[in-house]
Amino acid sequence: YGNTGSCDSKITYLDGDNGILRHRGYPIDQLARYSDFVETAYLVIYGELPTPTQRKDFGLLLRKNAAVETQMQKILEGFPTNASPMAMLSALVSALPAYHADLATNNFEKDMKHFDLAAAIAISKIRTFVAMIYRYQKGLPFMFPKQELPFCDNFLHMMFSEPYKDYIAMPEVAKALNLVLLLHADHEQNCSTSTVRMVGSSAANLFTSISAGVCALSGPLHGGANVAVMHMLQSIHDEGDDGTRFIAAAKSGTKGNRLMGFGHAVYRNFDPRAKIIGEACDEVLNKLGIDDPLLSIAKNLEQAALKDDYFISRKLYPNVDFYSGIIMRALGIPMNMFTTMFAIGRAPGYIANWREVASNPKGRIYRPRQIYVGHTKRDYVSIAKRT
Ligand code: ACO
């Protein structure tokens, strides 16, 4: 699969050798500096930066579709409170077609007529689901979204407000959250996005396809890596180690001992998102007055690995997950919710990729071939004769 261009796409350009990432032609560092999550989501999905009117209309559609049907709360309440947030999220997303049957008919032509609304519902409600999951697990009442709040502020409100006291996000917090989500908006044919395309190619509707992507994202080598990084940094901290033991274990090549947040299936150079998020980490923690010992451990570990021949020769550099967890922790988001945050960020990429599949008049169902390495033909042996 790694040697195959699995599709034609106009969404994201990624040059792993040179550490280049562009959405619709725009470099990620320019988007990170000048754009925000909602605008970048529009760009990724529709192919152009929005005009002021398009930006306003898109924002309005997101605001109008943030609230979740009360019945859907019952789906969530059917889960044990200690269930995996990603399992809850994929279940809620896969239930969306039941609540929006007219937008999710499993017929490309019909579904594309309602695409704008379905896309807005997906982006906006995935965010609401994540806040609901957090509050359900903590035994807190759900907070309704507020239409007047911008996307990230609204999320922080749904996460952290109390019925008797509004949480008002500091501008730095909302800005940092925008950055984290924006940096995850799309990333070419990664495991979960390819899954969305694969499922979508069977004419499955947008919500069902995204829900499959959420399942793919849950694995520790993909969306779960940010949690694994935090566990690793925490263990180094608890053991009072300087990271030497983890680096040595990672170099041993034994299974389960990789240096988490390092290496990438495509980048053979710095992940450009890691550079941006690494710098933002310093800025955000400074502004919030947080002194997180895990940040200095991460920096030392990065420096040690970048000088080590094992990592140099294999072109292993920090990826986006190496620092994203530290920022999210500073924003008050607990570790078990990190991968769901990734899902909020990646929703535009899933939607844009599904749209390409659904609107391709020459599209066919995805059906890769394999290299068969099993037995050649054998004759059936009755059970009595088997030893
Ligand atoms: N620590 C130690 N060794 C590593 C690491 C690592 N993090 N990553 C790769 N290697 C080694 C491999 O074992 C291999 O060694 P070998 O040549 O001696 O056999 C060599 O480096 C080359 O590996 P790749 O082919 O580059 O790795 P692959 O494409 O199979 O895997 C992956 C990529 C899964 C991301 C891997 O680097 C990894 O497990 N990293 C840690 C988990 C992680 O951070 N994942 C997040 C990815 S980004 C994202 O999903 C948003």
Side-chain angles (χ1 to χ4, degrees):
Y1 221 29
N3 285 327
T4 306
S6 65
C7 60
D8 288 345
S9 180
K10 293 182 178 166
I11 305 165
T12 289
Y13 174 76
L14 204 171
D15 174 351
D17 290 331
N18 295 304
I20 294 173
L21 173 63
R22 297 182 196 134
H23 296 320
R24 304 287 190 177
Y26 294 99
I28 191 67
D29 53 312
Q30 289 188 24
L31 294 171
R33 183 175 306 197
Y34 303 119
S35 186
D36 61 19
F37 175 64
V38 171
E39 185 185 72
T40 298
Y42 185 98
L43 170 71
V44 166
I45 295 169
Y46 294 105
E48 295 296 335
L49 286 167
T51 62
T53 311
Q54 288 166 336
R55 172 67 183 80
K56 194 167 151 252
D57 291 348
F58 184 55
L60 202 61
L61 208 53
L62 294 178
R63 285 169 199 241
K64 277 186 182 163
N65 287 288
V68 163
E69 293 70 12
T70 346
Q71 277 180 323
M72 290 197 88
Q73 292 179 13
K74 299 202 175 98
I75 300 178
L76 185 56
E77 284 161 359
F79 276 86
T81 48
N82 63 355
S84 149
M86 286 298 276
M88 297 184 191
L89 184 60
S90 68
L92 289 167
V93 178
S94 75
L96 278 174
Y99 295 87
H100 302 283
D102 46 337
L103 317 177
T105 64
N106 292 344
N107 173 308
F108 280 155
E109 216 176 304
K110 286 187 191 158
D111 287 358
M112 279 306 292
K113 284 193 185 133
H114 305 286
F115 173 78
D116 293 348
L117 179 57
I121 288 173
I123 296 179
S124 206
K125 290 200 177 170
I126 287 174
R127 169 196 52 174
T128 307
F129 291 154
V130 171
M132 285 169 66
I133 292 167
Y134 167 77
R135 296 188 72 96
Y136 175 60
Q137 290 199 317
K138 296 207 81 151
L140 296 169
F142 300 127
M143 295 304 302
F144 286 112
K146 290 192 173 190
Q147 273 216 20
E148 69 275 17
L149 289 178
F151 190 88
C152 287
D153 297 69
N154 208 356
F155 172 71
L156 292 162
H157 149 71
M158 288 189 275
M159 288 282 284
F160 302 128
S161 280
E162 296 298 344
Y164 47 86
K165 190 166 183 262
D166 276 350
Y167 171 95
I168 314 271
M170 285 164 68
E172 290 83 5
V173 171
K175 190 176 162 213
L177 181 58
N178 256 301
L179 179 71
V180 172
L181 298 181
L182 181 154
L183 289 178
H184 287 88
D186 190 41
H187 209 232
E188 210 223 40
Q189 292 312 308
N190 56 87
C191 176
S192 54
T193 303
S194 295
T195 302
V196 170
R197 285 188 91 110
M198 171 71 83
V199 174
S201 79
S202 73
N205 66 77
L206 177 68
F207 305 129
T208 303
S209 305
I210 295 178
S211 135
V214 172
C215 292
L217 186 65
S218 67
L221 296 185
H222 189 15
N226 47 22
V227 177
V229 170
M230 294 304 278
H231 282 306
M232 177 183 76
L233 297 175
Q234 192 63 51
S235 309
I236 295 174
H237 180 254
D238 294 347
E239 289 173 20
D241 180 30
D242 61 357
T244 318
R245 193 179 74 69
F246 272 87
I247 291 189
K251 285 161 65 173
S252 72
T254 48
K255 229 178 155 37
N257 274 326
R258 290 192 160 179
L259 194 61
M260 299 314 284
F262 257 72
H264 196 275
V266 181
Y267 290 116
R268 297 291 174 252
N269 202 319
F270 255 94
D271 175 341
R273 302 167 302 170
K275 266 192 191 164
I276 298 167
I277 213 161
E279 284 164 17
C281 246
D282 273 329
E283 203 185 312
V284 172
L285 269 64
N286 257 338
K287 281 203 174 132
L288 300 181
I290 296 173
D291 179 19
D292 189 339
L294 299 196
L295 178 59
S296 48
I297 291 175
K299 282 184 178 172
N300 291 340
L301 201 59
E302 176 183 352
Q303 287 315 313
L306 290 178
K307 281 189 211 132
D308 192 301
D309 190 51
Y310 174 92
F311 295 91
I312 297 170
S313 61
R314 287 168 178 77
K315 300 185 177 170
L316 300 171
Y317 293 89
N319 59 49
V320 67
D321 290 320
F322 196 65
Y323 287 108
S324 64
I326 297 176
I327 289 207
M328 285 196 275
R329 186 155 106 142
L331 303 185
I333 293 157
M335 212 150 60
N336 71 329
M337 297 303 293
F338 284 1
T339 315
T340 59
M341 299 301 296
F342 191 155
I344 304 177
R346 186 54 53 86
Y350 294 156
I351 293 165
N353 275 273
W354 182 89
R355 184 174 183 247
E356 275 193 347
V357 172
S359 54
N360 180 0
K362 292 191 180 149
R364 294 175 63 194
I365 190 164
Y366 282 24
R367 193 358 182 135
R369 298 302 310 273
Q370 63 172 12
I371 296 163
Y372 178 71
V373 293
H375 289 285
T376 50
K377 180 179 175 281
R378 322 192 256 179
D379 288 325
Y380 183 81
V381 181
S382 66
I383 193 160
K385 292 190 180 156
R386 287 177 226 156
T387 51

